[in-house]
């Protein structure tokens, strides 16, 4: 696998920073579920997300051509997330709770996007109403819950769909297994999680980064 080719179009920006228009695997589609069941599962998914104080998980990110790269995701409420890619990727994606940054050390470049008004912001901030943006996507498996999140007033933020598996040991009884995204250039990205570790100690310094630019300006 060529790591550089995977990041040529930076598909992680679709899956994480912007959550662009999403496509859900066909195996997750089925006839619509009863309204009562849908409402209950959406509430449980929201509770599951808000029930995570800290979490670490290994991830595999796959682009539309089947190229994959691995790393470790670290999450801390409210609003902090870090994607540490495997050695050689020279890329870091991190949110400090206010903004999402993509740091590309191969070209000494830093890009920044606010998360406050994005679907991702709604997911990372437990004080916001996730149901304002999210709806249940019917699935063909009773033990799978799929939530589509979009801001209809800001289509440029796109859509992200998160897939959960029922798991009594996970916060809220649901474990986030993966998400699937499709950006505005039709670049499909899938991020799968495994080896979830909940309630781990995570310092706030984990959500800072070394700025490769020749500047003293700090991220805000």
């Amino acid at each position: 696998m060529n790591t550089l080719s995977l990041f040529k179009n930076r598909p992680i920006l679709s899956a994480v920073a912007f959550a662009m228009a999403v496509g859900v695997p066909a195996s997750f589609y089925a006839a619509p579920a009863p309204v009562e069941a849908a409402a209950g599962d959406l509430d449980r998914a929201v509770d599951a997300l808000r029930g995570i104080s800290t979490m670490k998980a290994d991830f595999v990110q796959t682009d539309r051509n089947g190229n994959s790269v691995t790393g470790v995701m670290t999450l801390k409420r409210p609003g902090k997330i870090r994607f540490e890619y495997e050695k050689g990727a020279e890329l870091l994606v991190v949110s400090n709770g206010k903004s999402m940054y993509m740091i590309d050390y191969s070209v000494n470049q830093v890009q920044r996007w606010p998360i406050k008004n994005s679907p991702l912001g709604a997911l990372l901030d437990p004080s916001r109403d996730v149901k304002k943006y999210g709806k249940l996507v019917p699935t063909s498996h009773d033990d799978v819950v799929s939530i589509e999140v979009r801001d209809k007033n800001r289509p440029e933020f796109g859509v992200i769909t998160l897939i959960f598996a029922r798991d009594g040991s996970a916060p809220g009884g649901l474990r986030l297994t993966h998400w699937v995204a499709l950006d505005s250039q039709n670049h499909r990205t899938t991020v799968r999680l495994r080896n979830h570790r909940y309630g781990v100690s995570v310092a706030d310094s984990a959500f800072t980064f070394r700025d490769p630019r020749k500047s003293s300006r700090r991220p805000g």
Side-chain angles (χ1 to χ4, degrees):
M1 185 276 294
N2 186 333
T3 300
L4 293 179
S5 68
L6 176 64
F7 288 107
K8 183 178 180 180
N9 294 304
R10 300 306 191 206
I12 190 63
L13 297 181
S14 308
V16 182
F18 289 137
M20 290 295 182
V22 82
V24 182
S27 61
F28 288 108
Y29 283 106
V35 173
E36 294 80 9
D41 277 341
L42 181 55
D43 288 338
R44 279 186 282 274
V46 172
D47 289 343
L49 290 169
R50 293 179 175 176
I52 300 172
S53 57
T54 62
M55 182 182 78
K56 284 190 174 185
D58 301 331
F59 72 83
V60 178
Q61 177 186 315
T62 306
D63 70 5
R64 63 174 181 172
N65 296 317
N67 296 314
S68 295
V69 65
T70 62
V72 176
M73 182 192 78
T74 302
L75 174 69
K76 184 175 184 178
R77 301 292 186 188
K80 298 180 177 68
I81 196 166
R82 180 185 182 97
F83 290 84
E84 186 86 39
Y85 288 88
E86 65 187 33
K87 185 177 180 180
E90 296 188 274
L91 185 76
L92 175 67
V93 175
V94 62
S95 166
N96 60 9
K98 297 179 182 179
S99 300
M100 180 71 67
Y101 296 87
M102 187 188 78
I103 305 93
D104 188 341
Y105 290 106
S106 68
V107 293
N108 295 330
Q109 184 179 52
V110 177
Q111 298 183 56
R112 172 184 175 273
W113 296 269
I115 64 170
K116 181 178 180 181
N117 297 318
S118 72
L120 181 66
L123 292 172
L124 290 178
D125 184 352
S127 68
R128 299 187 65 187
D129 183 6
V130 177
K131 290 192 290 185
K132 176 181 178 181
Y133 301 97
K135 69 175 183 179
L136 190 80
V137 176
T139 75
S140 57
H141 304 281
D142 291 340
D143 59 348
V144 174
V145 175
S146 181
I147 305 296
E148 177 186 278
V149 183
R150 71 169 72 212
D151 185 343
K152 294 180 180 179
N153 296 322
R154 300 298 298 270
E156 68 271 22
F157 291 145
V159 186
I160 188 169
T161 293
L162 300 102
I163 295 90
F164 301 81
R166 301 191 194 279
D167 182 348
S169 66
L174 291 175
R175 172 171 44 88
L176 179 62
T177 62
H178 63 289
W179 62 83
V180 187
L182 188 70
D183 70 15
S184 57
Q185 283 75 47
N186 204 36
H187 296 142
R188 183 187 180 94
T189 304
T190 302
V191 178
R192 297 185 179 276
L193 305 178
R194 65 179 181 84
N195 193 22
H196 299 58
R197 288 91 77 191
Y198 301 105
V200 295
S201 178
V202 180
D204 286 342
S205 59
F207 307 99
T208 61
F209 59 88
R210 177 181 62 81
D211 195 330
R213 300 167 298 185
K214 295 184 181 299
S215 170
S216 60
R217 181 171 62 83
R218 300 180 61 84

